[in-house]
Amino acid sequence: MTTHLPPSAGTIERLTAADRAHLLEAIRLSSVSRAEGRHPFAALVVSGDGAVVASAGNNSLPPEGDPTQHAELRAVAAAARVLSPEEMNRATMFTSAEPCAMCSGAVYWTGISRVVYALSEHRLLELTGDHPENPTFSLPCREVFARGQRDIEVVGPLLEDEAAIAHEGFWV
């Protein structure tokens, strides 16, 4: 069963030092994405033994981007190409923002068993408003995962203020 924690229950104390470092790396990569002219999102997949096996920024902006190429989807797809299903089940995705419904589906179908995210969908909506390039769903990833047939642990939101920096002034 999916871990159901209210957003306030996801505190930085729930993370190991390695978890915190991976989450901070996802946040750092979201700034890199922005600096490259892309939406400020990033994700990485870490194997059960702690190795980063995939990382990705967002690549959904036209003209060369693809609207389905969110950072989380790109990272889990890359990880699924190098990890066995059993290894994917022991992996964690760290992401600068809560996975959207599409990315939550990708996490589910690739077998990831744990998601740690920084910026909540609610806080992201406050930053993006009704910007046409980020029409957010009001659908927390926990709700998507709760409809599935296997357990996915969710930890977050965490470090929201740090994650919000890459979005400041971007969605105007």
Side-chain angles (χ1 to χ4, degrees):
M1 177 176 288
T2 302
T3 302
H4 295 279
L5 297 172
S8 62
T11 63
I12 197 64
E13 292 81 27
R14 292 183 52 83
L15 298 182
T16 66
D19 285 343
R20 187 176 194 282
H22 292 311
L23 188 58
L24 287 169
E25 177 64 3
I27 293 169
R28 185 191 73 76
L29 290 171
S30 71
S31 292
V32 170
S33 235
R34 179 181 177 159
E36 293 173 348
R38 310 232 180 258
H39 290 153
F41 300 101
L44 49 108
V45 176
V46 177
S47 68
D49 64 3
V52 175
V53 295
S55 65
N58 189 288
N59 191 27
S60 64
L61 278 172
E64 69 279 351
D66 172 339
T68 67
Q69 294 302 295
H70 290 189
E72 298 88 347
L73 193 148
R74 295 179 71 213
V76 297
R81 288 191 290 274
V82 298
L83 296 178
S84 70
E86 295 79 20
E87 291 169 320
M88 286 296 285
N89 190 253
R90 292 188 298 274
T92 298
M93 183 180 70
F94 293 88
T95 181
S96 63
E98 182 171 3
C100 71
M102 176 180 68
C103 293
S104 295
V107 166
Y108 180 82
W109 289 112
T110 58
I112 296 274
S113 63
R114 182 172 182 247
V115 173
V116 178
Y117 70 89
L119 196 61
S120 69
E121 186 70 18
H122 176 75
R123 178 85 181 269
L124 179 62
L125 182 58
E126 290 174 0
L127 294 165
T128 64
D130 63 354
H131 196 284
E133 290 179 11
N134 196 47
T136 63
F137 277 100
S138 181
L139 182 59
C141 67
R142 284 177 175 87
E143 289 185 31
V144 175
F145 298 144
R147 303 305 190 274
Q149 295 177 327
R150 63 179 188 82
D151 296 342
I152 299 175
E153 179 185 1
V154 177
V155 181
L158 304 165
L159 304 175
E160 284 196 280
D161 292 339
E162 292 89 334
I165 293 169
H167 294 270
E168 291 174 356
F170 184 86
W171 303 102
V172 292

